[in-house]
Amino acid sequence: MTAAVVAAIAALTRPVSDVSAHSPQSSQQDALLSALGANRTLLLQQLDSESSFEEVQKLRREVKAAGCFCTDSGDTAWDFVQECLLLLLTLKRHLSDELQRFHQTPTPAAAKRPTPESAPPLPPDVLSVAQEKILEAALQFVVCLGLCPYLVPGVGVPLGRRSAFGAVIEKLIGRGAAAATGRRLLITTNVLLELTDLSSLATLVFTRHLGDMMAALCQLGYQPCQEEERPLSAEERQACRQALKTLLGKVYQPIVIRELLILQGGPKQADPVGSSSGSSCRSPAWLRHLCGQLLSERLMQPSGVQAVVRAILEGGAGSESDWRKCDAVARILVACPQQSASAEGYYRHVCPQILRLLQFKDKLMGQQFQRVAIRAVLAMVQERPSFAQQYLLWPLLAPLHRCTTSSGDSQTAVEESELTQCVEDVYKIWVVGNNSSSSFHKPLDSVLPVIFRLYCFTKKNVSHLRGPCQEILLWYLSHSETPAALSTLRQLSGLESETNDVVAHFHFTMGDDGGVRWSPRENCRDEDDELYEKLSEEQWRLECLMELLAQAKDSELPGDFFLDLLQELTCWAAAANEEAKDKEELDVSAMTLLEVERRLLGRAEGRARTLALLQALAVMVACLQHSQLLRNTTQVVDFVASLLQRACVGLGQTCGPRSENAVESRSLSMGMSLVATLLSAPKLSAEDYSSLSRLLPSLEILSQQHPEVIIQELASNLRAVIATHGAYRPENLATSAAAAGRASDISETTTEKRSEPRDSQEHSRTTTTFPVTSVGSGCRQTGGAGTPGTTRPLSDWLMEACDPDVPTRAFALRVLTQMLQCRDPEAVQAQDRVLKLFLENLEHEDSFIYLSAIGGLAALADSFPDRILERLLKDFQHGPSLPSSNKEHSLETRLKVGEVLMRASRAMGELTPHLGHPLVDVFLRGTRDSDQSVRASSLSNLGELCQRLDYSLGPLAQELSSCLTALIKTEKEAEVRRAAVHVIALLLRGLGDKTTQVLRDVLLDLYRALKWVVQSDPDEVAVLHAQLALEELDDVMRRFVFPKQKLEKKIVVLP
């Protein structure tokens, strides 16, 4: 019977083209009316005459008798709508009866044991696709002819704005509308509501016509009108209101909100072409107020915020319009609706939902949800700071607050999930939101020490919270005012007490999912262990803070913090002088024990602060580059000012250790050299001279009170240049600065060697006057004008190389190395003497000297490989050959020669295949040496050499493979096995794609040896080296088996 009812509906809703042709002169409205009437007449004839519609006609009459349908109203369109409603109700009643019988009928016994392939039986209300299309057409006729035309202007979307056919219907109904429009609207709406009781029909109604039904119910239940003009009774109006409430409650909320927004409408727009004047009317005030109230109710539901966001943003593609939508939704959420009872109640209900948007994990909508939440939080903090602090920021930061001493519930632990979610939310709000207003800095101030402690902890471990913590700290420091940022850095470095420090008896521990949790400490610890842990933690915090400042590459904050510490150091020096004077004048006998104790405790605290300051400065200088500490001229001038002020502090003392402090002397020389360098610039602006003018008081004091004449003259010259803005500029300004530096070196050397004989002191003064330049500037030293290499003969440098003073000898050795690198004729002619000198110094116990000798021997081997390499190979194999050599230190000398050979191997370049074979023979013999260090050194040199031999390694491949395989499997010392495995890794890395050609005969043996190490070797380092070598081999074989596809053009010349 379902098919018969659907066939009757299909006959009623046949297209107009199937009806008998009408006159061309007739209008579209007349043609439509004639088609509707003809279809209805034809259907009634078929229902009465055809036997297939007998049951349909019977059920239709029952439905008609139970409803309020009239037989013939005289309105063709309304009669057609009534017939559609009758057939739809008939279908609904039939499907409901069939569905009830389906549920009541017991399942056959054969169907109780279904096979896995069998499908469950379909309920009778399931419709085919063709049947659904027919019903959709019928519902469209019902809505267009029986519902939309009876809505007042401004309620719902006008038909003229939907399609051209809708404009025709709008004119048709408007021309022949009946007086009882409210009654007809009520009938249509009630029937559609009744159809929604069946799920299969409810889907068809709600997917296309939900907005029209809501508009009809709003008009029927809430339209204000006079008592005598109301088409409905009070009971009917109340029933419509209840039906609207029920409808809004059972439909998907984002769709409801979207339809309410459409009903609420916007500003009045111009009429489209061909539409009636009423189609562009704005929504009436009562409807806008009603929709606003209904939207507020949707928003105040448990998941109302999410529903509002989904209603507006679902279906977006991440374009610019979606960004604007997110901002609009955020403004909607922040604005308290007028229908709300109180603003506090509204924000108390909405703010937790906004925070839940930050934690949304959906891949499609998660990013937009977070964007809305961030914008809403930013707007609420600015517009409603008190409510935002109470209901947004405090709950968001609650897990971090529980880690501080200021929290009342600081005795409770914080689980990993809470802490992870809190850090991620803070990152999204502060870093992604990127609002630099002061209202956002204050809430973060209280938890910044906890975030920094968490960052320090994650630096020691592997955790996904390290990145967010680092970004939060960098954002805070970069967006804070300079005084506030400096104060924060002082607190984090331990120079100032923190207002919200972490709880002492709790600490961070690693979580199970890569996060961190806050848990109690174990109390059973020794005092020494606690002290060691405290000191190491302070050192680690300083290192982490400096690494954090190193990430701020474009900021001047590291330099400002450095200068702030230097200024405090200057103040401490002045305070130390005052304390020393007070200590001399203090009469302890006249003081009580309590006063003495207080004074001693004050001194201890002062010393502790001084140690912390010096520690912070030391770590800062060690971790940060000078280019980051002093980025501009102003910071350099401030740095120099702090140095000069600290130098002026002790000038009033006539005696004491301060007057002979070498560090202070060098600092003063460096500061004045910096000033001279700045003043030597080709162009200095007025701002630069204004900044340098801050140095004038200190320079004046130095020019009058410093005990050294050179410093006085230099300070006076610098002061004159700065005061005259460069009008007075002495020619020897840079020379005077260099002389001041040499003078400080002389004074330092004199102080250090006060106990040595007078001759030795004179010799030290003479030798230390030469500036020590870097090795990289060797050619300039021997070839440029005015350098020591050109003014002193080679014999002097050979004599200096035998000097007992370590710096003097090392400097002479480096000068000789530079002369060899630049092919100085004297040095080349005396290469035998230089070689003997380097070999003698190679046995020296000071690393400064023997490293210089190693560099010189490497330079000799690079310049004269045939002679020098032969001598070095002999010494490496049999020990030092000099008569004066110490046989007890023969092993150490052989290892140093091995270092020389490795450097020489690296410097050979393309000559390695020509010069490397003798080295390979010696290194292979060295693998059988009795000492394990020599064996390891030989293998290390062998690896460096073999990775540069390329195809010339082929004849040696078998011998090399046998040696390495035997060492890997039979060597007892783990260090030697590691070196053997490392040789294979270097070999594969050096040969690259040529591995399969050069090592094709031994590649399988090497692979098996590496696999044996991974599976059987007990040493973890050797296993690691083997795994790295296997990865290199895997890359080589992948490139060999799967070569890259290249598009190449080949030109072939035909004969």
Side-chain angles (χ1 to χ4, degrees), residues 671-953:
M672 302 188 76
S673 300
L674 283 175
V675 177
T677 304
L678 289 175
L679 294 175
S680 300
K683 291 183 180 180
L684 287 177
S685 62
E687 296 179 357
D688 295 335
Y689 279 112
S690 176
S691 177
L692 288 169
S693 62
R694 288 178 291 171
L695 305 178
L696 293 175
S698 300
L699 290 175
E700 183 178 3
I701 295 175
L702 291 173
S703 64
Q704 296 175 358
Q705 301 181 14
H706 200 278
E708 297 183 9
V709 179
I710 298 178
I711 299 295
Q712 289 183 5
E713 293 179 356
L714 179 58
S716 178
N717 290 337
L718 293 177
R719 180 172 174 271
V721 174
I722 295 173
T724 61
H725 284 205
Y728 168 76
R729 186 181 296 273
E731 297 180 357
N732 59 345
L733 186 63
T735 307
S736 301
R742 290 195 296 269
S744 65
D745 292 340
I746 292 172
S747 62
E748 178 188 359
T749 307
T750 304
T751 303
E752 291 178 353
K753 298 187 176 182
R754 189 175 299 274
S755 60
E756 295 183 4
R758 182 176 182 83
D759 294 340
S760 177
Q761 294 182 26
E762 294 293 334
H763 183 70
S764 299
R765 291 192 193 96
T766 305
T767 57
T768 53
T769 57
F770 301 105
V772 180
T773 56
S774 62
V775 178
S777 61
C779 293
R780 294 195 304 271
Q781 176 133 9
T782 58
T787 56
T790 59
T791 58
R792 303 184 62 185
L794 177 66
S795 58
D796 290 349
W797 295 116
L798 293 176
M799 187 179 299
E800 296 285 351
C802 301
D803 194 281
D805 183 51
V806 171
T808 304
R809 180 186 293 193
F811 176 66
L813 292 175
R814 296 190 178 224
V815 171
L816 292 173
T817 302
Q818 295 169 13
M819 297 174 70
L820 289 171
Q821 290 173 345
C822 295
R823 301 300 178 95
D824 184 82
E826 291 186 69
V828 172
Q829 188 175 1
Q831 57 177 291
D832 293 334
R833 296 177 60 190
V834 175
L835 173 63
K836 182 179 179 181
L837 186 63
F838 281 148
L839 290 175
E840 290 176 351
N841 285 280
L842 193 65
E843 301 180 17
H844 200 280
E845 60 183 4
D846 194 286
S847 60
F848 196 19
I849 293 179
Y850 71 71
L851 287 177
S852 301
I854 288 174
L857 289 172
L860 272 174
D862 185 32
S863 302
F864 314 102
D866 295 333
R867 294 183 59 256
I868 305 301
L869 286 178
E870 182 180 358
R871 175 68 178 272
L872 293 176
L873 290 174
K874 180 180 177 182
D875 288 356
F876 179 74
Q877 192 172 4
H878 303 292
S881 58
L882 293 176
S884 59
S885 300
N886 188 355
K887 302 301 180 181
E888 296 180 358
H889 301 286
S890 175
L891 176 61
E892 298 178 4
T893 306
R894 291 177 65 188
L895 295 178
K896 295 174 184 177
V897 174
E899 175 69 20
V900 176
L901 292 174
M902 185 174 66
R903 294 190 182 187
S905 302
R906 294 174 179 173
M908 286 180 184
E910 297 181 356
L911 293 177
T912 305
H914 175 67
L915 301 173
H917 284 282
L919 276 73
V920 173
D921 296 337
V922 173
F923 292 153
L924 285 175
R925 286 196 294 269
T927 58
R928 294 178 296 178
D929 195 271
S930 58
D931 190 273
Q932 63 177 15
S933 301
V934 177
R935 296 200 299 272
S937 177
S938 300
L939 287 171
S940 177
N941 296 340
L942 190 63
E944 290 288 341
L945 184 63
C946 287
Q947 67 175 341
R948 294 172 173 82
L949 288 176
D950 289 341
Y951 289 103
S952 62
L953 187 64

Side-chain angles (χ1 to χ4, degrees), residues 27 77 312 320 480 522 555 577 834 925 979 991 1014 1051:
S27 62
I312 300 177
E320 183 180 357
S480 299
E522 297 180 0
S555 174
N577 290 336
V834 175
R925 286 196 294 269
L991 292 175
V1014 173
I1051 301 176

Side-chain angles (χ1 to χ4, degrees), residues 307-327:
V308 171
V309 177
R310 286 185 178 275
I312 300 177
L313 299 180
E314 268 187 345
S319 60
E320 183 180 357
S321 60
D322 289 336
W323 283 89
R324 295 177 178 176
K325 288 181 181 178
C326 292
D327 292 340

